[in-house]
Amino acid sequence: MTTLQRQSTDLETDYVRDWKKKGGKVLGYACVATPVEIIEAAGVLPYRIKAFGHPDTELGDAYLARFNCRFCRSCLQLGLEGSYDFLDGLVETNGCDHLRGMFENWQHVKEYDFFHYLKVPHFLRDDSLEYFTEELALMRDAVAAFAGREITDDDLRAAIDTYDEVNAKLKRLYALREQVPPAVSGAEVMELVCTGSSMMGADFAAMLDEVLAEKENARVSGYKARLIIMGSATDEVDLIADIESTGALIAADALCFGSRAFWNREGEDGDPLRLLAERYLGHLFCPRMFTDYDRRIAYILDTAERAGVDGAIITYNKFCDLHGVEAVSQRMDLEKAGIPVLVLEKDYGSQADTGRIKTRVQAFLERLGK
């Protein structure tokens, strides 16, 4: 059995169960603005919250409005019904109001012993970098107290080095998908990114070594068109698989559960907290960041050009204000650059949407002449 086939979309994976059996602690977070290096430097497993299984949302609906995005309501549902009881605490950010509502209602009901609110600025400026560095210092102190051990600068540098290794290997994996013909599919890449977000960095790096060795000479064939996909937070491996079942290949992405979680997180050495602030805030390609649209669209256009795509899919969850508004400008700028665009608004995880999405992608491929 190959490494990719061993992966699952379970919330509590064998890896997490083993970690807990050995007495390890797990902290849940949801936003890519959360520096996992600080959590890992304390010997705690950082776990990115996902909504695998696409549950009904009757409990989530009791605490969030129906006009909150279904991804957040689904995560809250899983938290309230006990699927995430293996977590020892939560780290919240002000990624968006839906996300904040999810976290704060979750903590209100479950009352974890550890709950930390990391405030992330909406601007990239010298003063906001200074502020974010101070916020990271507060987070380091809080996580250290939770873990019962000091987090030294050396601990942080070791964790940063580990994630440098992970990010370099993820870039090699993305290069295998971007090549012609590709060696790995879009659904496989998303499943790996999701799996890695529930593992310690060193173990994920070792898994990536296995995958890269297995895929180096593999070839994906039979696809009609190469596409880039972008949009709001989604862990929907089956959405990517459904799109690819129509004959499209997701050759590149600008997704939150994708390249946006690790791309260009590089920087000079120095004070580790300042370095993390620069890496995270300086490369947060998310519409929550004010006055930063030009850098976001440049990043998307660079990615599309590198992957040689025939078209783009902008997808966002219903009621996602940030991505819904930005989709308008993105579509115009991509088409101005000669890249045809399909905009897909959808309800997160809705099986009822599957047929409609496939039909629209098939029509898009026809528009591309594929």
Side-chain angles (χ1 to χ4, degrees):
M1 183 180 293
T2 67
T3 307
L4 274 170
Q5 288 170 331
R6 290 203 305 270
Q7 307 318 307
S8 75
T9 51
D10 296 335
L11 292 175
E12 188 175 6
T13 60
D14 290 343
Y15 183 92
V16 173
R17 271 190 286 275
D18 288 345
W19 180 265
K20 294 290 291 185
K21 278 181 188 171
K22 293 172 185 170
K25 293 183 177 180
V26 184
L27 283 184
Y29 69 98
C31 180
V32 286
T34 309
V36 292
E37 291 88 343
I38 294 176
I39 300 173
E40 186 151 329
V44 175
L45 173 62
Y47 182 102
R48 188 164 182 192
I49 292 164
K50 297 165 278 286
F52 287 162
H54 317 142
D56 294 331
T57 57
E58 66 270 17
L59 291 176
D61 294 346
Y63 290 89
L64 291 176
R66 293 301 295 266
F67 50 78
N68 289 117
C69 90
R70 195 163 188 265
F71 176 70
C72 291
R73 287 187 284 126
S74 296
C75 290
L76 181 59
Q77 173 78 20
L78 291 165
L80 299 186
E81 73 183 20
S83 297
Y84 273 121
D85 281 356
F86 60 87
L87 296 178
D88 296 290
L90 296 171
V91 178
E92 174 192 0
T93 65
N94 50 333
C96 69
D97 287 344
H98 305 239
L99 203 65
R100 286 193 62 185
M102 181 267 284
F103 270 117
E104 287 166 10
N105 281 288
W106 189 341
Q107 172 66 3
H108 171 70
V109 176
K110 302 295 281 190
E111 294 187 33
Y112 285 103
D113 290 338
F114 180 84
F115 186 82
H116 183 77
Y117 179 21
L118 174 66
K119 303 179 190 70
V120 184
H122 289 276
F123 291 96
L124 177 60
R125 300 184 308 219
D126 287 342
D127 58 345
S128 58
L129 277 170
E130 186 177 340
Y131 175 85
F132 194 44
T133 304
E134 292 170 2
E135 278 295 311
L136 297 189
L138 293 174
M139 178 180 169
R140 178 187 59 185
D141 293 345
V143 173
F146 163 73
R149 52 165 285 186
E150 184 184 3
I151 301 175
T152 66
D153 283 355
D154 287 343
D155 294 329
L156 282 174
R157 288 192 187 96
I160 290 169
D161 289 345
T162 298
Y163 277 90
D164 280 349
E165 185 183 348
V166 168
N167 295 345
K169 289 173 182 176
L170 281 171
K171 282 191 169 183
R172 284 175 55 197
L173 179 72
Y174 270 58
L176 288 180
R177 186 175 61 168
E178 290 173 359
Q179 71 184 22
V180 182
V184 62
S185 72
E188 289 174 323
V189 167
M190 174 170 271
E191 189 168 357
L192 264 177
V193 170
C194 289
T195 300
S197 70
S198 310
M199 299 176 70
M200 294 294 272
D203 295 326
F204 186 39
M207 175 188 288
L208 286 170
D209 283 337
E210 288 185 50
V211 173
L212 290 169
E214 289 170 6
K215 288 293 181 180
E216 200 73 43
N217 298 310
R219 293 293 178 265
V220 176
S221 59
Y223 62 90
K224 302 174 187 172
R226 298 166 62 85
L227 304 179
I228 180 174
I229 190 167
M230 66 207 76
S232 56
T234 183
D235 54 20
E236 294 165 286
V237 176
D238 46 359
L239 170 69
I240 305 298
D242 285 341
I243 291 172
E244 292 189 322
S245 73
T246 66
L249 172 86
I250 301 300
D253 72 69
L255 290 172
C256 198
F257 278 89
S259 69
R260 278 168 42 203
F262 66 89
W263 209 263
N264 287 347
R265 283 199 176 149
E266 300 159 353
E268 299 299 322
D269 204 359
D271 172 67
L273 289 178
R274 176 71 182 194
L275 182 61
L276 286 172
E278 291 172 355
R279 287 186 175 195
Y280 277 81
L281 197 63
H283 300 96
L284 198 53
F285 300 114
C286 176
R288 73 172 297 283
M289 298 297 288
F290 300 160
T291 68
D292 212 17
Y293 175 76
D294 289 347
R295 277 198 330 131
R296 287 196 292 277
I297 194 66
Y299 159 70
I300 290 168
L301 291 171
D302 286 348
T303 303
E305 182 180 2
R306 191 178 60 242
V309 300
D310 303 297
I313 295 179
I314 301 173
T315 182
Y316 60 93
N317 298 322
K318 200 175 289 184
F319 308 122
C320 178
D321 307 322
L322 291 173
H323 286 275
V325 170
E326 182 130 309
V328 178
S329 300
Q330 285 181 342
R331 180 183 63 76
M332 290 192 294
D333 284 333
L334 282 162
E335 293 198 334
K336 194 184 299 178
I339 301 173
V341 177
L342 169 65
V343 178
L344 273 180
E345 184 192 41
K346 62 181 183 56
D347 210 6
Y348 171 81
S350 171
Q351 295 300 308
D353 262 4
T354 302
R356 179 184 68 87
I357 288 171
K358 284 185 177 181
T359 300
R360 293 201 60 197
V361 174
Q362 286 165 342
F364 183 55
L365 295 183
E366 289 178 14
R367 177 186 162 197
L368 296 177
K370 303 294 181 179

